[in-house]
Amino acid sequence: MAAQGAALQSSNAELVKCIEDLREKREGMLKQIADEESEKMKIQVELQQLTKRLAAINESLARKLDTKNEYDKVIQETEAAYLKILESSQTLLTVLKRESVSMTKRR
């Protein structure tokens, strides 16, 4: 019976050791979980900041694109008006030359 008691005591000591090992592993896992949760929180904060920044940049880009489109429109209208002025100037010059020649012939 003493042999059975010794075997039982040995098994008991081994079980206690295994339980302690499992607890140490659990504590290590708890630390890893806490570290990753902390990192996750930091990333979420960064993500919120980046999302806000992205929204602000998108708004700014939209305003600038609208302004650029307005510039394009004004340039196009101005160029069209300028071409009309050139055509009118050319027509005026042609008429003026014709009148000058006509007036010269009358003399």
Side-chain angles (χ1 to χ4, degrees):
M1 189 135 302
Q4 288 177 335
L8 185 60
Q9 192 173 9
S10 175
S11 292
N12 188 37
E14 196 172 330
L15 279 171
V16 169
K17 171 97 172 86
C18 285
I19 290 171
E20 287 175 12
D21 287 344
L22 289 173
R23 284 185 175 157
E24 286 176 15
K25 288 178 182 179
R26 181 185 67 185
E27 289 301 315
M29 188 57 60
L30 285 173
K31 173 142 178 33
Q32 289 177 11
I33 290 169
D35 291 345
E36 286 187 12
E37 284 179 346
S38 175
E39 184 177 0
K40 176 184 169 185
M41 293 282 283
K42 288 177 187 175
I43 290 171
Q44 285 177 328
V45 168
E46 289 174 18
L47 182 59
Q48 287 174 346
Q49 292 170 345
L50 289 173
T51 300
K52 286 179 184 177
R53 208 168 132 207
L54 179 60
I57 288 171
N58 282 335
E59 288 176 24
S60 176
L61 276 173
R63 286 191 307 271
K64 288 177 180 173
L65 284 170
D66 286 344
T67 301
K68 178 230 165 248
N69 290 336
E70 285 294 319
Y71 280 129
D72 289 345
K73 181 180 174 186
V74 169
I75 289 169
Q76 187 177 20
E77 290 172 355
T78 303
E79 286 176 341
Y82 180 68
L83 287 175
K84 286 182 181 180
I85 290 170
L86 286 178
E87 289 173 7
S88 296
S89 295
Q90 188 62 42
T91 303
L92 179 61
L93 182 60
T94 303
V95 169
L96 183 60
K97 284 181 181 179
R98 194 173 349 142
E99 287 296 318
S100 177
V101 168
S102 175
M103 288 175 67
T104 305
K105 287 182 182 178
R106 286 186 201 164
R107 287 183 184 186

